[in-house]
Structure formats: C-alpha cells, structure tokens
Amino acid sequence: MTVTGVDDDTEVDRSTSIRHTARGSGYRRVSIPDVAVTVTDDDEAGVTFSTSSVTVTEASGAGNTATYTVVLDYQPTGKVIITLSVARRAWPRSRRPS
C-alpha cells in the first residue's frame, strides 16, 4: 500500500486511520489492525503586506492618502482578525487620524 499526502493551502495537521478487510480462501475471520495516518502539514500561517511603508502629504488632494494590501499566506481554518493601531506620536495631540 502507498499513502500519499496532498498539498493544500490550510495550515493544520490531520489524522485518520485506514481500515483493512480480507475475504476468501479462509481469510474471512482474520483480524487486520487499522493503520494510523497523520498528515503533517507543511504550510505555515503568515501575513504578507504589499509594502513596508507608505508616505502621505498633509495637503488636501492627491497625495494625502496611501493604500496597501494585507493578504493571508494560507487559507485559514477559522476566523482571523488583523488589528490596526497607530503610534500617537505620529500626529499632533489636537488631531488624530480617522
């Protein structure tokens, strides 16, 4: 028997067992143990950013906004929350980003 793992985009190990039966020529009552199979996943959870820095101007109009993309490296098996926070030192006390 050959057992082959299939590569996927989830980052979780999985376990199962393979059951065998035999028939014919006196093998009907032979007990065959199950074989335990563990698939050890090679994917690692991670996050990729489209850039490591952005620059904006204080003036209104073009240049006062910037965009970047955040992508999960692998399909999650559950809910993922990415939280943003801003260093307060970057803005004057009287005005914070909205």
Side-chain angles (χ1 to χ4, degrees):
M1 304 291 172
T2 301
V3 178
T4 304
V6 176
D7 194 14
D8 58 19
D9 289 334
T10 61
E11 77 284 346
V12 63
D13 293 344
R14 294 170 302 285
S15 297
T16 190
S17 61
I18 300 173
R19 182 165 291 150
H20 304 84
T21 57
R23 287 193 217 163
S25 298
Y27 281 87
R28 189 169 127 191
R29 291 193 169 114
V30 172
S31 176
I32 303 173
D34 292 351
V35 173
V37 177
T38 300
V39 178
T40 304
D41 203 288
D42 63 347
D43 299 321
E44 196 172 311
V47 179
T48 299
F49 289 81
S50 61
T51 186
S52 61
S53 66
V54 294
T55 301
V56 295
T57 65
E58 292 180 339
S60 61
N64 72 343
T65 62
T67 303
Y68 62 93
T69 304
V70 180
V71 178
L72 301 177
D73 292 343
Y74 294 99
Q75 178 70 37
T77 56
K79 185 176 182 178
V80 175
I81 298 171
I82 297 177
T83 303
L84 286 282
S85 62
V86 177
R88 291 183 178 187
R89 291 173 276 165
W91 282 270
R93 290 181 189 212
S94 62
R95 184 174 170 143
R96 292 201 176 92
S98 55

